[in-house]
């Protein structure tokens, strides 16, 4: 399928690896020029070089922490006018309700709610002026079914989801579509970290912890970054112009819900 976005320009956050990289590669395959961001410069430059070589698109890199004002300023200065924004950030660490204090919640909100909102506020006016834009926020299946050990993530991502629900319906008439992608368990560093936590807590090896979690997924496997990226690219396409303010779950059927 021709997604109709060749020649567009996208900013993809946290895109040196994992789900962010999957989204960047899918957009590059569709002919989209990229602005890639991550905190680690070395991994970011390696990813950019591979994408340039494989897809022949223009790739700009910005090593910065978008949870900070300085990081966002550097990223926005390099990005300029973009047609597509993919917001993404690693989730805060798991734990118990008794583990977290105010500073922990502020850090989670900065990374997983306030930073995406700040980038949307900065970039959507240009999209509105041009009459076309796409925003995809990578959140979590936990906004539909909260995960007890991920209370910080549950809180911050639910706040972002509420913001998108209202804002998406205010800008849709201007040709700008905002939607959220809710990943379940994918084969990324995040999954490995969570599996390690289960391994330690239950006194089992990593293979057993992974097998245990796979058994909870109807597809009986973890997702791949490539198939997640394909879902992102579709939401960024011309064909997705009538999809507004939705929360698309990509989790192999793990969330047992009708809505």
């Amino acid at each position: 399928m021709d997604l109709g976005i060749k020649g567009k320009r996208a900013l993809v956050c946290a895109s040196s690896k994992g789900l962010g990289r999957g989204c960047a590669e899918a957009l590059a395959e569709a002919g989209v020029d990229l602005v890639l961001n991550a905190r680690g410069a070395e991994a970011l430059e390696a990813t950019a070089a591979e994408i340039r070589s494989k897809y022949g698109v223009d790739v700009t890199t910005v090593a910065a922490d978008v949870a900070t004002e300085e990081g966002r300023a550097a990223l926005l200065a390099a990005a300029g006018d973009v047609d597509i924004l993919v917001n993404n950030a690693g989730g805060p660490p798991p734990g118990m309700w008794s583990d977290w204090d105010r500073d922990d919640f502020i850090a989670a909100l900065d990374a997983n709610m306030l930073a995406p909102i700040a980038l949307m506020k900065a970039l959507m006016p240009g999209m509105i002026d041009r009459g076309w834009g796409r925003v995809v926020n990578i959140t979590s299946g936990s906004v539909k079914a909260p995960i007890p050990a991920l209370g910080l993530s549950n809180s911050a991502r639910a706040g972002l989801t509420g913001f998108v629900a209202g804002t998406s319906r205010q800008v849709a008439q201007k040709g700008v579509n905002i939607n959220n992608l809710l990943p379940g368990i994918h084969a990324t560093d995040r999954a490995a970290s969570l599996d390690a936590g289960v391994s330690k807590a239950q006194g089992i090896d990593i293979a057993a912890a992974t097998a245990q979690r796979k058994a909870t997924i109807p597809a009986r496997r973890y997702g791949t970054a490539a198939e997640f990226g394909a879902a992102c690219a579709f939401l960024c396409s011309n064909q997705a112009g009538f999809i507004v303010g939705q929360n698309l779950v990509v989790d192999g059927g793990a969330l047992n819900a009708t809505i």
Side-chain angles (χ1 to χ4, degrees), residues 7-103:
K8 300 288 188 184
R9 182 173 167 86
L11 166 57
V12 186
C13 297
S15 49
S16 64
K17 57 186 177 180
L19 300 183
R21 176 168 178 165
C23 294
E25 292 213 37
L27 290 169
E29 186 175 11
V32 176
D33 294 323
L34 300 172
V35 179
L36 301 184
N37 157 254
R39 287 178 296 178
E42 185 176 351
L44 182 63
E45 293 302 334
T47 293
E50 291 175 22
I51 290 176
R52 289 188 196 101
S53 175
K54 185 173 181 179
Y55 301 105
V57 297
D58 181 69
V59 182
T60 300
T61 59
V62 183
D65 183 355
V66 296
T68 67
E69 290 187 16
E70 297 81 3
R72 287 192 298 275
L75 184 55
L76 290 169
D81 292 330
V82 297
D83 309 290
I84 295 166
L85 168 64
V86 179
N87 275 314
N88 183 33
M96 290 287 291
W97 60 270
S98 54
D99 297 333
W100 305 313
D101 58 24
R102 185 178 187 278
D103 288 343

Side-chain angles (χ1 to χ4, degrees), residues 56-202:
V57 297
D58 181 69
V59 182
T60 300
T61 59
V62 183
D65 183 355
V66 296
T68 67
E69 290 187 16
E70 297 81 3
R72 287 192 298 275
L75 184 55
L76 290 169
D81 292 330
V82 297
D83 309 290
I84 295 166
L85 168 64
V86 179
N87 275 314
N88 183 33
M96 290 287 291
W97 60 270
S98 54
D99 297 333
W100 305 313
D101 58 24
R102 185 178 187 278
D103 288 343
D104 296 315
F105 279 99
I106 294 300
L109 291 170
D110 277 339
N112 298 124
M113 176 182 158
L114 298 177
I117 290 173
L119 291 178
M120 282 188 271
K121 289 185 66 177
L123 294 172
M124 287 197 307
M127 297 178 187
I128 290 169
D129 288 344
R130 295 187 296 276
W132 195 97
R134 298 286 186 267
V135 178
V136 174
N137 300 294
I138 300 176
T139 63
S140 169
S142 68
V143 302
K144 285 183 173 285
I147 300 168
L150 300 181
L152 295 174
S153 178
N154 296 340
S155 303
R157 297 190 194 280
L160 177 62
T161 302
F163 176 84
V164 168
T167 304
S168 62
R169 289 159 174 88
Q170 295 174 322
V171 300
Q173 62 186 298
K174 305 296 185 180
V176 178
N177 293 42
I178 313 174
N179 292 288
N180 303 318
L181 272 178
L182 283 54
I185 305 170
H186 287 70
T188 65
D189 289 348
R190 174 70 163 171
S193 174
L194 293 175
D195 285 346
V198 171
S199 172
K200 181 178 180 181
Q202 298 186 10

